[in-house]
Amino acid sequence: MNFRLLLTLLLAPLLLSSCGYNSIQKNEEAVFAAWGNVEATYQRRADLIPNLVETVKAYAAHEKDTLTEVTNARAKVGQMNISIDKLSDPAAMQQFQQAQGRLSGALSRLLVVAERYPDLKASQNFRDLQNQLEGTENRINVARQRYNKAVQKFNSSIRTFPNNLTNNFLLNLERKEMFKADAGAETAPKVKF
């Protein structure tokens, strides 16, 4: 009897180390961290927008509708948050992406307004903010890609053997949702001045 107990104690760490429990946990934490980075880059953009709007207001006061639209879109984005427990909910992810898409569209229209006003383009403040927004949009794209990569790794880890057994019997974690392209994103936008 002591031999069996000793053998069980010696083999238990080996059996438990290959069950994938720890790797699944690490992968899920990587998803949460990547999601935090996505939110941080969106927040950076939301923080820059009031400065951009104020700069544009100074030069293009009569384009009030566009400025109002940007301000409203930013406010809606600020109200739309996804907690990490909703990362498995396709509807919540779609709502989040739609709010961000409306803000992106409003910003595009704002930049078209800027093109119409040469003095605004010449403003160093505006150029600096425009560069910051461009950099932020690039950061958002990188953060989304890293999030999708983390989600792919996590989803694979809970679906492959033997980790799928650990997930099914111990953890019961659900697949996470990836960022998807907006409808019509495959068609290049037409820019008109």
Side-chain angles (χ1 to χ4, degrees):
M1 184 96 159
N2 285 340
F3 178 72
R4 284 187 183 179
L5 181 61
L6 181 61
L7 184 62
T8 303
L9 289 175
L10 289 174
L11 290 177
L14 293 174
L15 294 173
L16 289 175
S17 69
S18 65
C19 73
Y21 183 88
N22 288 336
S23 65
I24 291 172
Q25 298 296 322
K26 286 178 187 175
N27 292 339
E28 187 175 41
E29 289 302 318
V31 169
F32 296 155
W35 180 251
N37 290 337
V38 168
E39 288 182 322
T41 53
Y42 278 131
Q43 183 63 50
R44 182 177 192 276
R45 177 173 72 174
D47 292 344
L48 284 171
I49 290 169
N51 295 326
L52 178 61
V53 169
E54 289 304 315
T55 302
V56 173
K57 270 185 187 178
Y59 285 95
H62 61 282
E63 293 290 344
K64 184 179 176 184
D65 291 342
T66 302
L67 298 173
T68 302
E69 189 177 339
V70 170
T71 303
N72 290 341
R74 181 196 176 274
K76 287 179 183 171
V77 163
Q79 295 169 354
M80 180 63 196
N81 291 318
I82 295 181
S83 61
I84 56 176
D85 60 322
K86 295 281 188 186
L87 293 178
S88 299
D89 183 358
M93 287 293 286
Q94 185 178 16
Q95 286 177 338
F96 183 83
Q97 283 185 247
Q98 285 174 347
Q100 294 296 336
R102 283 190 292 276
L103 180 57
S104 293
L107 283 173
S108 295
R109 286 185 290 284
L110 182 62
L111 293 175
V112 168
V113 167
E115 290 293 327
R116 293 181 183 158
Y117 297 96
D119 290 342
L120 179 59
K121 287 192 328 187
S123 164
Q124 184 62 42
N125 288 340
F126 181 77
R127 283 197 311 254
D128 290 347
L129 286 168
Q130 194 173 17
N131 289 337
Q132 288 291 325
L133 278 174
E134 182 181 343
T136 300
E137 293 301 318
N138 288 336
R139 288 177 183 171
I140 288 170
N141 187 46
V142 168
R144 284 177 175 174
Q145 290 172 348
R146 288 179 180 161
Y147 171 77
N148 281 351
K149 206 173 249 190
V151 167
Q152 177 195 12
K153 186 175 181 180
F154 170 77
N155 288 346
S156 295
S157 75
I158 64 170
R159 296 183 67 208
T160 55
F161 183 81
N163 294 1
N164 63 338
L165 298 175
T166 301
N167 187 48
N168 290 338
F169 294 115
L170 296 176
L171 300 171
N172 296 311
L173 299 173
E174 294 182 27
R175 293 179 69 209
K176 307 299 183 207
E177 287 295 314
M178 289 192 177
F179 266 100
K180 296 177 181 84
D182 294 333
E186 67 279 359
T187 305
K190 293 179 182 176
V191 179
K192 295 180 185 177
F193 296 103

